Amino acid sequence: MTTNPTRTHATRRHWAEGLTAFAAVTLMIAGVLDIFRGIMGIAEDDIFVATRNYVFEYDLTGWGWIHLILGAVAVVISLGLFQTAMWARVGGIAIAGLIIIANFLSLPQYPVWSVVMIAFSAFVIWALCVVRPDRSV
């Protein structure tokens, strides 16, 4: 029994397109959530809890700006992922990594949100790394 190479090629291409779309949507959601988190930090909302004796101490307003910028860049990159641009794949992996680092550093202030953002970003990195675009198309 032999496999049809054309059918296998089409199946792989659809699989890659689906994972790229998944990464684009997930990065868009993570970016929008990070924008909201940045706005909350800039407004110095009472939702963030100050943890005493935490190794990484920082100004909440400055941290809010960092999250706002990361979120805005993530949204722009996710739009590029919908176009399956190579720069967007590389940028998506990079920005998702930065979002993971930023949320790891802010775990004590809002742990549930940070864990959700880390999970979203990890899924984005996985989806963008597992896709191997076909060079012959």
Short mmCIF file of all heavy atoms in Angstrom, two decimals, residues 45-54 56-58 60 106-111:
data_model
loop_
_atom_site.label_atom_id
_atom_site.label_comp_id
_atom_site.label_asym_id
_atom_site.label_seq_id
_atom_site.Cartn_x
_atom_site.Cartn_y
_atom_site.Cartn_z
N ASP A 45 -4.10 50.62 39.43
CA ASP A 45 -5.31 49.98 39.94
C ASP A 45 -5.00 49.20 41.22
O ASP A 45 -3.89 48.72 41.41
CB ASP A 45 -5.86 49.03 38.87
CG ASP A 45 -7.31 48.69 39.10
OD1 ASP A 45 -7.80 48.96 40.19
OD2 ASP A 45 -7.92 48.17 38.17
N ASP A 46 -5.98 49.05 42.06
CA ASP A 46 -5.80 48.33 43.32
C ASP A 46 -5.84 46.82 43.15
O ASP A 46 -5.75 46.08 44.12
CB ASP A 46 -6.89 48.74 44.33
CG ASP A 46 -6.72 50.17 44.78
OD1 ASP A 46 -5.59 50.68 44.69
OD2 ASP A 46 -7.72 50.77 45.20
N ILE A 47 -5.98 46.35 41.92
CA ILE A 47 -6.05 44.91 41.69
C ILE A 47 -4.69 44.24 41.91
O ILE A 47 -4.61 43.06 42.22
CB ILE A 47 -6.59 44.61 40.28
CG1 ILE A 47 -7.09 43.18 40.20
CG2 ILE A 47 -5.56 44.87 39.21
CD1 ILE A 47 -7.96 42.91 39.02
N PHE A 48 -3.62 45.00 41.76
CA PHE A 48 -2.28 44.45 41.96
C PHE A 48 -1.91 44.52 43.43
O PHE A 48 -2.09 45.55 44.07
CB PHE A 48 -1.25 45.20 41.12
CG PHE A 48 -1.47 45.03 39.65
CD1 PHE A 48 -2.03 46.03 38.89
CD2 PHE A 48 -1.09 43.85 39.01
CE1 PHE A 48 -2.23 45.87 37.54
CE2 PHE A 48 -1.29 43.69 37.67
CZ PHE A 48 -1.87 44.69 36.92
N VAL A 49 -1.37 43.44 43.94
CA VAL A 49 -0.99 43.35 45.34
C VAL A 49 0.53 43.51 45.43
O VAL A 49 1.26 42.84 44.70
CB VAL A 49 -1.41 41.99 45.94
CG1 VAL A 49 -0.97 41.87 47.38
CG2 VAL A 49 -2.90 41.80 45.81
N ALA A 50 0.97 44.36 46.30
CA ALA A 50 2.41 44.54 46.50
C ALA A 50 2.93 43.45 47.43
O ALA A 50 2.45 43.31 48.56
CB ALA A 50 2.70 45.91 47.08
N THR A 51 3.87 42.68 46.96
CA THR A 51 4.44 41.60 47.76
C THR A 51 5.72 42.11 48.42
O THR A 51 6.59 42.66 47.75
CB THR A 51 4.76 40.39 46.86
OG1 THR A 51 3.57 40.02 46.19
CG2 THR A 51 5.27 39.24 47.67
N ARG A 52 5.81 41.90 49.71
CA ARG A 52 7.01 42.34 50.42
C ARG A 52 8.13 41.34 50.20
O ARG A 52 7.91 40.15 50.02
CB ARG A 52 6.72 42.49 51.90
CG ARG A 52 5.72 43.57 52.18
CD ARG A 52 5.52 43.83 53.62
NE ARG A 52 5.68 42.67 54.49
CZ ARG A 52 5.51 42.69 55.78
NH1 ARG A 52 5.17 43.80 56.37
NH2 ARG A 52 5.66 41.61 56.49
N ASN A 53 9.35 41.85 50.23
CA ASN A 53 10.57 41.05 50.13
C ASN A 53 10.64 40.22 48.85
O ASN A 53 11.14 39.10 48.84
CB ASN A 53 10.71 40.12 51.34
CG ASN A 53 10.79 40.90 52.64
OD1 ASN A 53 11.31 42.01 52.66
ND2 ASN A 53 10.26 40.33 53.70
N TYR A 54 10.12 40.76 47.74
CA TYR A 54 10.24 40.08 46.46
C TYR A 54 11.53 40.54 45.81
O TYR A 54 11.89 41.72 45.86
CB TYR A 54 9.03 40.38 45.58
CG TYR A 54 9.01 39.63 44.27
CD1 TYR A 54 9.15 38.24 44.24
CD2 TYR A 54 8.87 40.29 43.06
CE1 TYR A 54 9.13 37.55 43.06
CE2 TYR A 54 8.84 39.60 41.88
CZ TYR A 54 8.97 38.23 41.87
OH TYR A 54 8.96 37.55 40.69
N PHE A 56 12.44 40.94 42.71
CA PHE A 56 12.28 41.89 41.61
C PHE A 56 11.26 42.95 42.00
O PHE A 56 10.07 42.74 41.88
CB PHE A 56 11.82 41.18 40.34
CG PHE A 56 12.72 40.05 39.93
CD1 PHE A 56 12.34 38.73 40.10
CD2 PHE A 56 13.97 40.31 39.38
CE1 PHE A 56 13.17 37.70 39.72
CE2 PHE A 56 14.80 39.28 39.01
CZ PHE A 56 14.40 37.97 39.18
N GLU A 57 11.75 44.09 42.47
CA GLU A 57 10.87 45.19 42.81
C GLU A 57 10.94 46.23 41.70
O GLU A 57 12.01 46.52 41.19
CB GLU A 57 11.30 45.81 44.14
CG GLU A 57 11.05 44.90 45.32
CD GLU A 57 11.35 45.59 46.64
OE1 GLU A 57 11.23 46.82 46.72
OE2 GLU A 57 11.72 44.88 47.58
N TYR A 58 9.78 46.78 41.33
CA TYR A 58 9.72 47.73 40.23
C TYR A 58 8.53 48.65 40.43
O TYR A 58 7.60 48.36 41.20
CB TYR A 58 9.63 47.02 38.89
CG TYR A 58 8.66 45.87 38.87
CD1 TYR A 58 7.31 46.09 38.70
CD2 TYR A 58 9.09 44.57 39.07
CE1 TYR A 58 6.41 45.05 38.71
CE2 TYR A 58 8.20 43.53 39.09
CZ TYR A 58 6.85 43.76 38.90
OH TYR A 58 5.98 42.72 38.92
N LEU A 60 5.10 50.18 39.51
CA LEU A 60 3.92 49.62 38.85
C LEU A 60 3.57 50.36 37.57
O LEU A 60 3.17 49.75 36.58
CB LEU A 60 2.73 49.62 39.82
CG LEU A 60 1.46 48.93 39.35
CD1 LEU A 60 1.74 47.46 39.04
CD2 LEU A 60 0.38 49.05 40.40
N SER A 106 6.24 39.16 37.20
CA SER A 106 5.13 39.76 37.94
C SER A 106 4.19 38.73 38.55
O SER A 106 3.05 39.06 38.88
CB SER A 106 4.35 40.71 37.01
OG SER A 106 3.80 40.00 35.93
N LEU A 107 4.65 37.51 38.72
CA LEU A 107 3.83 36.46 39.34
C LEU A 107 3.28 36.85 40.72
O LEU A 107 2.11 36.61 41.00
CB LEU A 107 4.62 35.16 39.45
CG LEU A 107 4.46 34.18 38.30
CD1 LEU A 107 5.48 33.06 38.42
CD2 LEU A 107 3.07 33.62 38.24
N PRO A 108 4.07 37.44 41.61
CA PRO A 108 3.54 37.74 42.94
C PRO A 108 2.44 38.81 42.94
O PRO A 108 1.60 38.82 43.82
CB PRO A 108 4.75 38.26 43.72
CG PRO A 108 5.91 37.71 43.01
CD PRO A 108 5.52 37.65 41.57
N GLN A 109 2.43 39.71 41.95
CA GLN A 109 1.43 40.77 41.95
C GLN A 109 0.05 40.26 41.53
O GLN A 109 -0.95 40.71 42.05
CB GLN A 109 1.85 41.90 41.00
CG GLN A 109 2.85 42.85 41.61
CD GLN A 109 4.23 42.23 41.76
OE1 GLN A 109 4.63 41.40 40.95
NE2 GLN A 109 4.94 42.62 42.79
N TYR A 110 -0.01 39.35 40.57
CA TYR A 110 -1.29 38.82 40.11
C TYR A 110 -1.04 37.45 39.51
O TYR A 110 -0.91 37.29 38.30
CB TYR A 110 -1.92 39.78 39.11
CG TYR A 110 -3.42 39.65 39.03
CD1 TYR A 110 -4.21 39.90 40.14
CD2 TYR A 110 -4.03 39.28 37.85
CE1 TYR A 110 -5.59 39.78 40.07
CE2 TYR A 110 -5.41 39.16 37.78
CZ TYR A 110 -6.17 39.41 38.88
OH TYR A 110 -7.53 39.31 38.83
N PRO A 111 -0.95 36.42 40.34
CA PRO A 111 -0.48 35.11 39.89
C PRO A 111 -1.37 34.40 38.88
O PRO A 111 -0.86 33.79 37.94
CB PRO A 111 -0.36 34.30 41.17
CG PRO A 111 -1.13 35.04 42.20
CD PRO A 111 -1.21 36.46 41.77
#
